[in-house]
């Protein structure tokens, strides 16, 4: 398997341009994120990822997490790697200083997290779930719960999880049956089963803090009757240390296609009617905490698509440089490394350009989240929140779809070797395949985009973004170097505008037509928005070249990559306008029993 090296130059440019990290430092909360600090953080994160986490990726895939009578043991080396991560203070990078965090921007945290996910996606899931639990407690927990749990969760000494899914419910959270009963001491007794719980049990930390969705006996039906509870594996004693074991257990692990080192648990709560939980937020208002967790997780899962595609791209380049086969097309010369063949060049350039567009889109979303949380001006906070809400389903779905597509291209570039496990290429593809499924399937993200986000605030946020894209395309239209991008970006945003207006104009009688166009619309949205944020970087690269600053080879490559994306990736996406607006008639041309005819 090829080595991993964090793409620090590209990450830094994406932070500068797409996330606007220099502007973020003008917000008092993020004033510590100076250029020198950002460079140091990225450099050290890249070293930890490459030297400690990446070598364990194949180990974790082959050994997997092991279950034995309720106990889960992680693969060889994982505990030491996690300890090194915690001891380095990495877990608290973006969390509030009030409870021991460092208070740095979420956008910078995404860049750092990308290195973990590229190096070892399975291991990176533990801190990812923990982050969601911290966010939920920070925004919805009582002061006592914050005091007891946040310092240890933020440090990484303890780990947090999300417990949502049940066998009969799946994505329909309102159908859950886990029960909660009030106890006289103000706590609750939790009883039920949850499935697909990532890192629900493991031996990396001294305690595991579960956030569990459950329903009180007198709660309304559906999602209006869901409450959220904090349920620790060990009940803290008077000193806040893990004490008595709570009445919960891991009943088994799923045997999965990929991420073998990430324990996907079936969790049993209250087998002995003694599982103690504490309410997070208000009774019957658990969806608020859930969406706080899930919106954070959805951006981070989208980042996994970026990360795993980056790892696959690096492997594909290394193989293509070494693999010698056939003369170039039209030549009678000797066999050459396959990176010389135009067919392979198309695949590699598509991988490179798409990864960089995905990264730019994801970091831009992270910057919007930072402004929404911390900008001193209320109008700017609202504007940023609207953009973050709009882009979150796009990041989650488009980036993870592309992650699967690009890890598949890595296998194709390897040829027959790509189908052999020893090459390492299959692991990236297998690991990537879960990301379009968990934290809300990509179909759900598409329906969220067209069903909620287009209508949000009368469409103000998508209209503003599309206007920015049109203005940018107009600004570069006459540029000798960047002008070719303008034509394709203009075509893309006009198709996107047409599709958005058509979808937003549908009423309930046209619900099937809206649903039929949702997924291709999200793909079009992701491609155009990703192309836009990538093109912004190309303009900055040109500015730095003209000023004689920065690495001229990297900057020239950025411009070429952005042009390739515009000319080769945008036109096929623009063609999706037809399928988006065609309606759903032919989707229902067959009766259900005719599909098997």
């Amino acid at each position: 398997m090829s080595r991993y090296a964090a793409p620090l130059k590209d990450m830094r440019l994406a932070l500068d341009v797409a996330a606007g990290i220099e502007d973020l430092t003008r917000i008092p909360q993020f004033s510590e994120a100076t250029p020198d600090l950002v460079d140091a953080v990225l450099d050290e994160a890249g070293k930890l990822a490459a030297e400690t986490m990446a070598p364990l990726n194949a180990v974790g895939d082959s050994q997997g997490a092991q279950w034995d009578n309720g106990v889960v043991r992680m693969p060889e080396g994982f505990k030491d790697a996690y300890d090194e991560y915690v001891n380095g203070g990495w877990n608290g990078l973006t969390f509030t200083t009030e409870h021991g965090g460092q208070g740095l921007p979420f956008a910078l945290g995404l860049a750092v997290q990308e290195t973990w996910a590229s190096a070892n996606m399975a291991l990176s899931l533990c801190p990812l779930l923990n982050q969601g639990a911290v966010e939920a407690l920070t925004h919805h927990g009582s002061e006592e719960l914050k005091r007891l749990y946040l310092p240890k969760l933020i440090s990484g000494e303890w780990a947090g999880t999300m417990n949502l899914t049940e066998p009969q419910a799946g994505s329909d959270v309102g159908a859950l049956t886990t029960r909660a009963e009030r106890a006289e001491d103000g706590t609750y007794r939790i009883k039920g089963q949850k499935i697909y719980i990532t890192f629900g049990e493991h031996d990396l930390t001294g305690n595991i803090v579960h956030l569990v969705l459950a329903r009180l006996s007198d709660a309304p039906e559906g999602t209006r009757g869901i409450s959220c509870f904090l349920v620790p594996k060990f009940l803290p004693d008077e000193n806040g240390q893990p004490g008595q074991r709570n009445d919960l257990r891991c009943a088994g692990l799923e045997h999965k296609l990929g991420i073998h080192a990430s324990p996907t648990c079936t969790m049993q709560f209250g087998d002995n009617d003694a599982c103690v939980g504490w309410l997070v937020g208000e009774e019957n208002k658990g969806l608020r905490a859930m969406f706080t967790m899930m919106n954070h997780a959805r951006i981070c899962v989208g980042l996994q698509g970026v990360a795993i595609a980056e790892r696959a791209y690096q492997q594909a380049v290394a193989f293509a440089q070494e693999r010698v086969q056939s003369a170039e097309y039209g030549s009678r010369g000797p066999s050459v490394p396959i990176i010389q063949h135009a067919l392979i060049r198309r695949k590699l350039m598509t991988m490179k350009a798409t990864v960089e567009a995905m990264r730019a889109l994801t970091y831009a979303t992270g910057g919007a989240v930072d402004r929404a949380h911390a900008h001193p001006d209320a109008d700017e906070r609202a504007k940023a929140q609207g953009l973050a809400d709009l882009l979150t389903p796009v990041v989650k779905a488009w980036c993870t779809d592309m992650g699967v597509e690009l890890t598949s291209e890595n296998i194709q570039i390897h040829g027959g070797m790509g189908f052999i496990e020893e090459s390492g290429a299959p692991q990236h593809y297998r690991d990537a395949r879960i990301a379009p499924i968990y934290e809300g399937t990509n179909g759900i993200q598409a329906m969220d985009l067209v069903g909620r986000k287009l209508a949000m605030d009368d469409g103000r946020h998508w209209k503003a973004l599309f206007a920015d894209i049109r203005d940018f395309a107009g600004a570069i239209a006459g540029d000798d170097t960047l002008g070719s991008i303008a034509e394709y970006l203009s075509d893309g945003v006009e198709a996107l505008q047409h599709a958005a207006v058509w979808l937003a104009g549908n009423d309930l009688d046209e619900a099937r037509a809206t649903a039929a166009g949702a997924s291709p619309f999200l793909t079009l949205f992701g491609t155009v928005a990703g192309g836009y944020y990538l093109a912004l970087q190309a303009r900055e690269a040109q500015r730095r070249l003209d000023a004689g600053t920065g690495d001229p080879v990297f900057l020239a490559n950025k411009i070429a990559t952005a042009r390739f994306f515009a000319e080769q990736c945008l036109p096929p996406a623009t063609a999706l306008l037809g399928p988006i607006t065609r309606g759903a008639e032919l989707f229902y041309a067959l009766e259900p029993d005719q599909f098997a005819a």
Side-chain angles (χ1 to χ4, degrees), residues 8 26 60 189 255 306 325 329 349 368 448 491 509 524 551:
L8 298 180
R26 299 188 180 100
R189 298 298 175 264
H255 301 282
V306 181
Q325 183 173 315
Y329 181 74
M349 283 298 292
D448 177 51
D491 289 345
D509 292 335
L524 174 60
D551 180 347

Side-chain angles (χ1 to χ4, degrees), residues 275-290:
C275 182
V276 181
W278 284 262
L279 183 68
V280 177
E282 301 176 44
E283 290 185 354
N284 304 326
K285 300 292 180 63
L287 282 186
R288 294 179 181 177
M290 184 194 78

Side-chain angles (χ1 to χ4, degrees), residues 16-220:
D16 288 347
V17 179
I21 196 164
E22 183 178 347
D23 288 338
L24 289 178
T25 62
R26 299 188 180 100
I27 298 173
Q29 181 175 325
F30 303 130
S31 61
E32 298 295 323
T34 61
D36 287 346
L37 178 66
V38 170
D39 286 340
V41 166
L42 292 179
D43 186 59
E44 290 303 314
K47 290 178 182 177
L48 179 61
E51 297 170 7
T52 300
M53 295 184 175
L56 296 174
N57 198 39
V59 174
D61 187 55
S62 62
Q63 293 184 7
Q66 300 295 318
W67 180 89
D68 181 17
N69 194 28
V71 175
V72 175
R73 294 182 175 86
M74 295 297 291
E76 178 183 341
F78 273 56
K79 180 67 166 67
D80 290 340
Y82 183 80
D83 288 346
E84 185 175 347
Y85 161 84
V86 170
N87 292 336
W90 292 105
N91 201 68
L93 196 70
T94 63
F95 295 133
T96 172
T97 56
E98 180 183 359
H99 296 287
Q102 298 169 47
L104 293 173
F106 176 56
L108 176 58
L110 284 175
V112 169
Q113 192 169 321
E114 181 191 330
T115 69
W116 314 147
S118 283
N120 195 317
M121 180 171 161
L123 179 56
S124 74
L125 279 162
C126 183
L128 188 159
L129 270 297
N130 190 17
Q131 290 168 17
V134 169
E135 289 291 326
L137 275 182
T138 299
H139 290 93
H140 305 284
S142 68
E143 291 305 314
E144 178 63 11
L145 289 180
K146 292 178 185 179
R147 183 190 67 81
L148 265 179
Y149 290 93
L150 280 181
K152 289 182 170 59
L153 289 172
I154 286 174
S155 71
E157 182 182 346
W158 293 357
T161 74
M162 294 190 292
N163 287 251
L164 282 62
T165 307
E166 297 181 9
Q168 79 292 339
S171 297
D172 183 7
V173 177
L176 66 83
T177 60
T178 297
R179 312 301 296 183
E181 299 294 339
R182 302 177 186 89
E184 293 182 359
D185 62 358
T187 63
Y188 295 76
R189 298 298 175 264
I190 312 300
K191 189 176 183 67
Q193 182 186 83
K194 299 288 184 177
I195 62 171
Y196 302 152
I197 307 307
T198 302
F199 275 88
E201 175 62 31
H202 55 84
D203 58 1
L204 297 181
T205 61
N207 202 358
I208 303 172
V209 181
H210 302 281
L211 292 186
V212 182
L213 293 187
R215 188 186 304 280
L216 291 161
S217 58
D218 56 357

